[in-house]
Amino acid sequence: MKKFCIPIAAALLLGAACTGCAPESDPDAMTILGKTSDLGKPYMTEIFDHYRETTGESLNILAVEDSEFEDEAIRLFGTEDAPDILLHFHNADLNRFRVEENFLYLNDMPWVNELTDSARAYCTDAQGHLLGLPFWESSVSGCYYNKKLLKGLGVPTTQEDFDGLCDMLLRKGITPILWPGQCSWMAQLALDPVFADAPDGPSRLEKLNAGEIKYEDISSVTDMVTWIANAAQKGWFGDRFLDKGWNDISEPLASGEAAMTFIWDTWFYTNFKPGQYKVEDFALMPIFMNTAPQGTYEGGNLNMMIVNKNSPNKDRALAFLEFCATPENYNVAFNGISTVSVFKGQTTNIQSQMVTDAKASIARQERVSTASTKIVGYNAEDVMHALNALLRGEITPEGCVKRMDEQRIEKSQASVSDAIFG
């Protein structure tokens, strides 16, 4: 997820592929760098056009092919052609950019209080620095379930209740959980409470990233891995789940073959294909994977506008972020977009009924996305491969955790050595 190293003047032409992202050749205009698919989102093209029309300012939109984005972005930050604003998720790849040296911390910006608590937390690093302005569609990840299939069975509020529900569904001939083994996000949902819930003193996250502890020293990680192995062995994931991927999730849910899956609300409005059961037949409860007694939800993963601290245009870039964070502007951009609110004054977006109905539960059990954003060296595909080796019977739960540790440490070391700034 061809080597892409072309002069910036040529690279700018890629923006023409994005409707509303037509590049401009104004050498004095701000440059915004992002993935081609990200920059083509309707709310992104809308905010760019609205900025141009409202202010009369130009923008140079630098769109890079998705598969080449990380390497090309890092290459550009090693040259004088570095963009003024980088559009990036708060994930492990961001560590490759040497954040402190290259980007402004935005803690004191006038728009900070416009952000919802969960959006602000997502964009905050482990040291408490706000890294960027989130400007993206948001979602809530949890356990989405078929209300009709669970009618009369009760909605679980504890891990014990959830496990009992899975047993009851299996006895009724229904696959309890649609588990797409070729997808990689499920484990991070369970790991979030392990590392987001900080006790007094140094947190597990701080100790893990400092190399003072490993996954194998944290019982909750082994508890999760063991639960996944036991669930598969009991048949809670159904047959051939290891072969199921992104395109195999919808049909079993729409037909009623499976009752639940761990996913996010916007999936139902972008990828779900109704069958016997429609979107309105589904509801939301917490995920139970043996790491949080009352379950957990994950807040949205958000693309951020990050400002190049070494840019001569940094003041103009900050003014652009303030424009984007103003209610009358972001409400134009997100008009009719299905998303959980990222800004407190967001009024034109559409929020799913599933999320609205579970609002009180989400308020109690939601964690900011933590595993994939703040664990140095975390890689979702590595975790998926380790879990699949476990589920094929190739390694034990302890061996799975050990493999996850080894791959995480290897990635964290590589992220330092791969950084290519001068």
Side-chain angles (χ1 to χ4, degrees):
M1 278 216 40
K2 295 174 358 187
K3 200 66 183 167
F4 186 91
C5 292
I6 59 179
I8 191 165
L12 284 167
L13 295 177
L14 292 175
C18 299
T19 302
C21 290
E24 301 169 29
S25 57
D26 183 350
D28 297 320
M30 284 189 302
T31 298
I32 300 175
L33 173 68
K35 293 180 181 178
T36 299
S37 63
D38 290 349
L39 291 167
K41 295 287 187 180
Y43 41 86
M44 298 306 299
T45 61
E46 186 65 43
I47 198 65
F48 296 152
D49 288 344
H50 186 56
Y51 176 76
R52 293 181 181 110
E53 293 166 4
T54 302
T55 67
E57 295 280 345
S58 299
L59 291 172
N60 290 331
I61 305 300
L62 176 56
V64 178
E65 179 67 31
D66 290 21
S67 62
E68 306 301 329
F69 174 73
E70 298 297 337
D71 288 342
E72 178 62 6
I74 287 176
R75 186 193 72 80
L76 286 173
F77 268 92
T79 73
E80 60 183 22
D81 290 327
D84 304 308
I85 295 173
L86 174 70
L87 196 65
H88 203 288
F89 285 90
H90 187 187
N91 57 25
D93 284 324
L94 188 59
N95 294 324
R96 299 175 64 194
F97 288 84
R98 293 185 179 174
V99 172
E100 186 175 1
E101 296 175 25
N102 288 282
F103 301 118
L104 286 174
Y105 293 140
L106 305 174
N107 307 348
D108 300 323
M109 292 298 104
W111 45 260
V112 168
N113 289 332
E114 279 289 317
L115 303 179
T116 62
D117 290 344
S118 59
R120 181 175 179 176
Y122 176 83
C123 297
T124 301
D125 67 12
Q127 288 73 47
H129 299 299
L130 185 65
L131 301 178
L133 171 72
F135 202 88
W136 203 242
E137 61 197 84
S138 190
S139 59
V140 176
S141 296
C143 179
Y144 287 82
Y145 66 94
N146 188 315
K147 294 185 289 187
K148 293 184 176 178
L149 294 181
L150 265 64
K151 187 176 181 179
L153 299 180
V155 178
T157 57
T158 67
Q159 184 71 52
E160 183 180 6
D161 290 345
F162 183 80
D163 291 352
L165 173 64
C166 290
D167 280 333
M168 285 191 285
L169 288 168
L170 195 63
R171 289 197 294 270
K172 291 168 67 74
I174 300 169
T175 298
I177 304 168
L178 191 290
W179 180 276
Q182 292 302 306
C183 297
S184 61
W185 63 78
M186 292 82 76
Q188 78 182 52
L189 308 181
L191 288 172
D192 282 344
V194 176
F195 296 100
D197 298 352
D200 293 336
S203 69
R204 288 171 174 165
L205 179 65
E206 292 170 326
K207 292 179 179 179
L208 186 78
N209 286 340
E212 298 172 12
I213 59 173
K214 298 179 179 179
Y215 285 148
E216 62 185 4
D217 300 314
I218 304 170
S219 60
S220 298
V221 178
T222 301
D223 290 343
M224 176 198 74
V225 169
T226 302
W227 182 89
I228 293 171
N230 290 341
Q233 188 174 36
K234 292 175 181 177
W236 292 354
F237 299 161
D239 299 325
R240 300 182 62 186
F241 63 89
L242 284 174
D243 298 326
K244 286 185 167 60
W246 178 252
N247 294 324
D248 304 308
I249 304 172
S250 183
E251 194 281 328
L253 294 172
S255 68
E257 175 189 337
M260 302 180 284
T261 196
F262 303 149
I263 206 159
W264 47 93
D265 58 301
T266 54
W267 176 86
F268 281 90
Y269 300 92
T270 57
N271 295 90
F272 179 68
K273 297 178 181 179
Q276 181 179 351
Y277 298 99
K278 312 292 191 294
V279 171
E280 54 267 28
D281 294 321
F282 288 85
L284 172 60
M285 65 176 164
I287 288 169
F288 294 95
M289 292 174 66
N290 214 27
T291 59
Q294 281 76 49
T296 186
Y297 302 95
E298 182 190 50
N301 290 271
L302 305 169
N303 236 331
M304 306 180 295
M305 295 180 181
I306 312 174
V307 176
N308 178 357
K309 72 186 295 184
N310 303 309
S311 165
N313 286 325
K314 63 185 176 185
D315 289 338
R316 293 167 66 195
L318 290 173
F320 175 74
L321 264 60
E322 186 169 356
F323 178 91
C324 294
T326 301
E328 55 263 36
N329 298 326
Y330 61 66
N331 276 318
V332 168
F334 286 97
N335 185 30
I337 300 295
S338 177
T339 175
V340 173
S341 295
V342 172
F343 300 99
K344 292 177 181 177
Q346 215 160 345
T347 58
T348 59
N349 56 308
I350 301 169
Q351 299 204 63
S352 78
Q353 192 63 44
M354 294 178 283
V355 169
T356 301
D357 289 345
K359 185 177 180 180
S361 176
I362 294 168
R364 290 191 300 269
Q365 305 301 337
E366 184 182 39
R367 276 87 173 180
V368 65
S369 181
T370 301
S372 66
T373 63
K374 293 183 170 64
I375 295 176
V376 177
Y378 185 89
N379 181 275
E381 285 71 29
D382 284 348
V383 175
M384 176 191 73
H385 291 310
L387 286 171
N388 286 353
L390 167 71
L391 298 175
R392 287 192 299 266
E394 298 171 2
I395 52 179
T396 64
E398 292 73 21
C400 179
V401 174
K402 181 177 176 63
R403 184 172 296 185
M404 288 165 55
D405 263 328
E406 292 171 345
Q407 293 171 327
R408 173 184 59 81
I409 293 168
E410 181 181 358
K411 280 285 193 305
S412 66
Q413 294 171 341
S415 70
V416 175
S417 62
D418 284 351
I420 58 173
F421 300 113

